[in-house]
Amino acid sequence: MKYRIATIPGDGIGPDVVAIAVKVLEAVAGKSGFELSFTEAPMGGVAIDRFGTPLPQASEETCKGSDAVLLGAMGGPKWDGLAGDKRPEAGLLGIRKALGVYANLRPALMFPQLAGACPLRPDLVAGGLDILIVRELTGGIYFGERGRSADGQSAWDTERYSRMEIERILKVGFEAAMGRAKRLCVVDKANVLESSRLWRETAQAMAPKWPEVELSFLYVDNAAMQLVKNPRQFDVIATSNMFGDILSDEASQITGSIGMLASASIGDSGPGLFEPIHGSAPDIAGQDKANPLATVLSAAMLLRYSLKREAEAKAVEAAVSAALDSGYRCGDIASKSPGEKLVGTKAMGEAVLAAVEGRLE
Ligand code: NAD
């Protein structure tokens, strides 16, 4: 069996962390007897520099013709002065839209070894934390009509959702809840926003199809508060593009570090897009300081969701856990506890590689 993987290393720390994840995937394929071919697709700032556009047509085609796409991060101060649709982030939004990946699954999973990195009181996260945020990815205010008045003194962005868009993302939420603790919390701002009222109405209409799932609703401001007050109340959270963007970053901090959190973006068919939730971290780019584990865990999600290789996905996740057990820590997850070994991107990658090879012998 041979799978085609498109890689989008992107900018900043993107190339560093994608290189590690590719090595891990190659090792897994070698040990498990399947083949992977990797094709690099330039996107983001590097593509602006080379081709004058953040999303070159050829890169888009490479991604569409693959079985799965592994992405690092896009953006950085070098391109901050460009107009919105010329910026690196336009490449990111464009490829999500082009692949039709409307569901972004963001697990906020706290590894017990990193409990010390959690900024909350230990009793609030006793027994661990496992929240799945299901974020709508191709609609809402990030894609709505926007503009500026002629005099430049006012600007607008539009939140717009169709019932179809809401239904398909909530279906992912209900189904994910069925495979977990069967609790789905829909987060919105239905006290103010008409689009949120449509989310609520749609969720209520769908609920009878999943009678075992306990459905609840929270306003986004309350949800932000509850995430730090009592995070263990949550199982699956389903929400809109912007609310999900913000809440998943908040959840990432509860689990320890943004450098640990993976994501999968999937649609009804075609390749999934797998990426860490962090950005290009220009402050540490090229310094061998980036934590590659979020990207390695994204590669595990790629194995699970796109290649349907559950055993290999579990082996990668277990290898990450083993590297943490052995005390390896990048700067973002280091707590200076005895037994910890402060390592850079490459050494962390080596630790995971050794552990995954051992697991798939
Ligand atoms: P960021 O996630 O890049 O960095 C936030 C902080 O977290 C920084 O201090 C950074 O050093 C740290 N950090 C991030 N990833 C880390 C890792 N793997 N290991 C260790 N530390 C890590 O967010 P930002 O600073 O707001 O954005 C920087 C650039 O990235 C901007 O241009 C932004 O538009 C872009 N961005 C891209 C994506 C993406 O491509 N998906 C997502 C968010 C931000």
Side-chain angles (χ1 to χ4, degrees):
M1 192 71 190
K2 185 169 183 173
Y3 304 99
R4 290 151 303 165
I5 312 293
T7 61
I8 308 172
D11 308 311
I13 61 170
D16 307 346
V17 293
V18 166
I20 303 292
V22 165
K23 276 191 189 166
V24 170
L25 284 172
E26 278 172 338
V28 167
K31 292 280 173 188
S32 303
F34 60 91
E35 274 184 68
L36 294 176
S37 70
F38 294 92
T39 309
E40 197 171 311
M43 245 176 250
V46 285
I48 294 173
D49 289 352
R50 281 172 60 192
F51 307 106
T53 169
L55 179 51
Q57 187 65 32
S59 294
E60 187 178 320
E61 294 309 323
T62 300
C63 292
K64 282 183 175 164
S66 67
D67 294 300
V69 182
L70 182 67
L71 186 149
M74 296 183 205
K78 183 176 175 191
W79 305 281
D80 276 351
L82 296 175
D85 60 342
K86 307 269 185 304
R87 290 171 61 106
E89 292 81 352
L92 191 60
L93 298 188
I95 193 63
R96 288 172 179 165
K97 193 92 184 171
L99 296 177
V101 287
Y102 59 81
N104 184 220
L105 309 184
R106 293 186 169 204
L109 181 68
M110 189 168 82
F111 281 87
Q113 302 93 324
L114 300 181
C118 172
L120 300 185
R121 267 195 348 249
D123 61 296
L124 295 177
V125 290
L129 199 59
D130 183 3
I131 303 171
L132 179 67
I133 299 189
V134 177
R135 168 190 170 195
E136 200 291 324
L137 201 60
T138 54
I141 197 163
Y142 291 0
F143 290 93
E145 189 198 322
R146 63 176 55 99
R148 284 229 184 177
S149 59
D151 65 1
Q153 296 309 298
S154 67
W156 65 91
D157 300 275
T158 317
E159 173 88 342
R160 187 184 186 115
Y161 272 110
S162 68
R163 196 180 287 276
M164 179 279 288
E165 285 175 301
I166 301 169
E167 273 173 359
R168 65 184 186 181
I169 187 73
L170 289 180
K171 182 167 177 270
V172 174
F174 276 111
E175 282 175 355
M178 282 302 289
R180 297 170 43 103
K182 298 192 172 66
R183 295 198 313 275
L184 174 66
C185 179
V186 174
V187 170
D188 60 32
K189 189 71 183 169
N191 49 343
V192 180
L193 302 178
E194 193 55 35
S195 52
S196 284
R197 286 192 272 274
L198 185 60
W199 272 75
R200 257 186 207 214
E201 219 176 280
T202 308
Q204 276 155 344
M206 292 172 75
K209 275 196 215 153
W210 289 273
E212 288 173 61
V213 175
E214 182 192 313
L215 174 67
S216 62
F217 297 95
L218 275 183
Y219 297 140
V220 63
D221 41 352
N222 189 14
M225 191 169 74
Q226 295 297 329
L227 266 173
V228 289
K229 201 172 162 206
N230 178 17
R232 296 193 59 220
Q233 71 184 280
F234 294 109
D235 176 27
V236 179
I237 293 176
T239 190
S240 64
N241 202 340
M242 183 166 68
F243 294 161
D245 192 7
I246 298 166
L247 291 181
S248 56
D249 270 21
E250 183 188 2
S252 75
Q253 284 308 302
I254 300 169
T255 62
S257 171
I258 200 164
M260 291 298 299
L261 292 184
S263 81
S265 303
I266 49 179
D268 289 326
S269 59
L273 178 67
F274 301 85
E275 55 179 310
I277 76 158
H278 60 71
S280 62
D283 53 329
I284 55 167
Q287 299 170 39
D288 195 40
K289 280 187 181 165
N291 183 351
L293 295 182
T295 314
V296 169
L297 292 167
S298 301
M301 293 184 92
L302 181 157
L303 289 163
R304 171 172 295 123
Y305 290 105
S306 278
L307 309 194
K308 312 288 179 212
R309 297 264 173 183
E310 181 62 27
E312 286 82 0
K314 283 214 170 81
V316 172
E317 288 160 352
V320 167
S321 192
L324 296 174
D325 278 340
S326 306
Y328 293 102
R329 301 284 187 274
C330 290
D332 62 311
I333 50 172
S335 67
K336 300 197 177 85
S337 303
E340 278 188 8
K341 300 168 202 138
L342 184 64
V343 291
T345 314
K346 289 184 184 137
M348 181 61 101
E350 292 304 321
V352 175
L353 263 180
V356 85
E357 281 173 350
R359 267 171 177 71
L360 292 168
E361 282 306 342

